[in-house]
Each structure stands twice: as C-alpha cells, then as structure tokens.
Amino acid sequence: MPPLESFLSPGLLYGLEHGSLTCWVICGLLALFSITSWAVILSKHFLLSRVQKANLSFLREYRESNHALELYQQREPHEYSSFYHIYHAACRELSWYLLGEDEPGSTFAARLQGAGRITPSQMGAVQVAMERSVAEAALRLEARMGWVSTSLSAAPFLGLLGTVWGILDTFSTMTTAAGGATLSTLAPGITTALVTTVLGLLVAVPSMICYNALVNRIRGMVVRLDNFASEISAGFDRTFVDHRFSNEALPSLSALGTPSMPAFTGSSSSPIPSAAASHAMHARV
C-alpha cells in the first residue's frame, strides 16, 4: 500500500510539517466536522435504502391484499417501512370509529362484518391521523441532517480563520526578523496559513454534494409518503364512509319569504310604456 504522503501535494505536506498550534487546533476541528459529517451521511444513506426497500415490500402487500384492513388484522410489523406506520395510524383511527377499539382482537373480523360506516367528519379524523404520521415519518428521515449542514457551512469559515490567523503571525514575524524578511522566512507561515483553507474546502465540498443528494432523496420519499396517504384515504373513503344525505328536511319555499323587489322611481315626463303600447309601436314601425 502506498504511503499517505504520495496522495498529498508537496505544498500541503510542507504546510503540515511547519504547522503552528493554531493551525493544528483548526485542523483538529475540521477533522471532527468531517468525521461527524461522513458518519451521518453514510448512516443516512443506508437508512434511506432500507426504508425504500421496506416501503416497496409493504406497498406490494397492501395492493395485493383482499381487504383494506387485512394487513392491519394480521398485525405483522414492518419496522423500517414508513408506509406501514402511516397505514397503521389510519387503521387504528378507523377501527376506533367502526368498532370502538383501536387494536384488532380475536373477534375483529367477525365484528367488522356487522359494522356500519363512518361519517365524513370521522373520516376527517382518520386523515388527520395519517397527516400526523406522515409528518413524523418525514422528521425521522430528516433527523441529524443538521450536522451535515453545519459541517459544510462552518468548515470554510474555520479554514478562512486559520488562514487569516496564519497571515497575521507571518506579518508579525516579518517585523521581528533579523536582517529583513526573506522568502525562506515567510514561506512556512504563509504555507501553513493556506493549509487550513485547503482542508476546510476538502471538508465542505464533499459534504455539500452528499447533503444535496440526500436532501433530494428525502424530498422524493416525503412526496411518496403523501401520495400513499392519499391512496389510503381514497380507498377508505370509498369503502367505509357513508355519503348519503341526512334526513333533515329542507325548508319550504313559504318559509323563505317573498323576494323584495325595488320600487321604480321614474320621472313623470317619461312614463314607462305598457306592454301593449310597446307592441303597437313596433307594429307601426
């Protein structure tokens, strides 16, 4: 295996060899940000892949089921499927309004056969439960992404801080150097100052690329969560909601009263012609 020095530029190696205490402190902070960022990026990548695979598996089972509550009655958990948690939250709320219980018991199927239907307002409560579950699933998918955002935002500024600090130290060395400042006396300080900027960019650029890729991936998954919730809502609405009109009678026309017509206030010099006079006028023309 080739040594690490073969992958680094000579200028970067020179700057690290002559690094000051401030440079090493900033490099240590940058390394900490980099480790944290990559740990979150890799764990989030594997988590999203697992969630996506579990969602596809549950979606296939849901669409192949014979009844909308069949998977809920089986009580087979899908831990990594966000679709399952949305479906389970909707089924719990629906079961409460249909049967008065939020967990399927031994007589769940038999009681469901004799259950009636729910009202549109009760279906609204089921939709609220699904929306709440979608929001919780989105928060779980976006968890710890702030660490990556902080790393890609803070790393360039830390590198710039180290550069400015190193240049200030270099100027201080110029004023105290015996015999005048030469290139050999200024090179270590300037090179060390630029090292922190290079390391800051090496931390920020990969973090920014991975962060944007993960954010776009999470947004796509959240959209699919909303679409799945809409699919469940439409299926439940067709199967379990009673959309018949209520028995409340409409008020009669007499109870509404007579319409009020505004009185016409015309001048006496231009009376309104009657219908017969108007007809005779047109006949003469």
Side-chain angles (χ1 to χ4, degrees), residues 108-153:
F108 182 80
R111 295 179 59 192
L112 191 62
Q113 294 296 327
R117 294 195 173 192
I118 63 175
T119 63
S121 61
Q122 291 172 334
M123 184 60 200
V126 176
Q127 292 175 346
V128 170
M130 285 191 294
E131 293 174 358
R132 185 168 57 247
S133 182
V134 168
E136 292 174 355
L139 289 177
R140 287 194 295 268
L141 293 176
E142 296 174 357
R144 299 189 303 276
M145 288 297 294
W147 290 102
V148 184
S149 177
T150 302
S151 297
L152 68 90
S153 300

Side-chain angles (χ1 to χ4, degrees), residues 140-186:
R140 287 194 295 268
L141 293 176
E142 296 174 357
R144 299 189 303 276
M145 288 297 294
W147 290 102
V148 184
S149 177
T150 302
S151 297
L152 68 90
S153 300
F157 291 102
L158 277 176
L160 181 61
L161 174 62
T163 298
V164 174
W165 199 300
I167 291 176
L168 290 176
D169 290 342
T170 303
F171 285 146
S172 177
T173 304
M174 291 174 57
T175 58
T176 58
T182 61
L183 181 60
S184 59
T185 58
L186 297 179

Side-chain angles (χ1 to χ4, degrees), residues 3-279:
L4 181 61
E5 288 79 2
S6 61
F7 296 99
L8 300 178
S9 66
L12 186 59
L13 287 175
Y14 183 82
L16 292 175
E17 290 174 357
H18 296 82
S20 61
L21 177 61
T22 304
C23 174
W24 284 110
V25 169
I26 293 179
C27 289
L29 293 175
L30 291 174
L32 180 61
F33 276 120
S34 179
I35 293 172
T36 304
S37 176
W38 279 106
V40 173
I41 289 171
L42 293 177
S43 63
K44 189 64 63 176
H45 168 71
F46 290 118
L47 175 63
L48 294 179
S49 300
R50 184 176 296 180
V51 169
Q52 184 176 4
K53 183 178 179 181
N55 283 342
L56 292 176
S57 176
F58 178 78
L59 183 62
R60 182 173 57 253
E61 294 181 12
Y62 172 74
R63 291 177 176 174
E64 293 176 354
S65 60
N66 298 321
H67 192 272
L69 299 180
E70 180 180 349
L71 298 180
Y72 179 66
Q73 183 182 355
Q74 293 176 0
R75 306 183 67 175
E76 181 180 353
H78 296 71
E79 181 181 359
Y80 290 100
S81 175
S82 301
F83 285 178
Y84 167 76
H85 295 293
I86 297 172
Y87 170 79
H88 188 266
C91 289
R92 285 190 62 183
E93 197 74 16
L94 178 65
S95 177
W96 174 259
Y97 288 116
L98 284 175
L99 306 176
E101 59 182 16
D102 55 2
E103 290 296 336
S106 57
T107 61
F108 182 80
R111 295 179 59 192
L112 191 62
Q113 294 296 327
R117 294 195 173 192
I118 63 175
T119 63
S121 61
Q122 291 172 334
M123 184 60 200
V126 176
Q127 292 175 346
V128 170
M130 285 191 294
E131 293 174 358
R132 185 168 57 247
S133 182
V134 168
E136 292 174 355
L139 289 177
R140 287 194 295 268
L141 293 176
E142 296 174 357
R144 299 189 303 276
M145 288 297 294
W147 290 102
V148 184
S149 177
T150 302
S151 297
L152 68 90
S153 300
F157 291 102
L158 277 176
L160 181 61
L161 174 62
T163 298
V164 174
W165 199 300
I167 291 176
L168 290 176
D169 290 342
T170 303
F171 285 146
S172 177
T173 304
M174 291 174 57
T175 58
T176 58
T182 61
L183 181 60
S184 59
T185 58
L186 297 179
I190 296 177
T191 306
T192 301
L194 295 177
V195 162
T196 56
T197 299
V198 173
L199 294 180
L201 293 176
L202 290 177
V203 172
V205 172
S207 298
M208 179 182 62
I209 295 174
C210 295
Y211 176 80
N212 291 332
L214 289 176
V215 166
N216 291 333
R217 192 174 175 184
I218 291 173
R219 287 175 180 173
M221 297 185 71
V222 172
V223 170
R224 286 189 287 272
L225 293 180
D226 290 330
N227 293 339
F228 180 68
S230 299
E231 180 179 346
I232 295 178
S233 177
F236 284 2
D237 189 81
R238 289 191 300 265
T239 307
F240 301 105
V241 179
D242 186 3
H243 289 286
R244 293 177 300 175
F245 293 103
S246 61
N247 296 326
E248 182 181 357
L250 293 174
S252 62
L253 293 178
S254 60
L256 297 178
T258 57
S260 58
M261 300 295 293
F264 179 81
T265 57
S267 61
S268 58
S269 60
S270 58
I272 299 177
S274 62
S278 178
H279 179 72

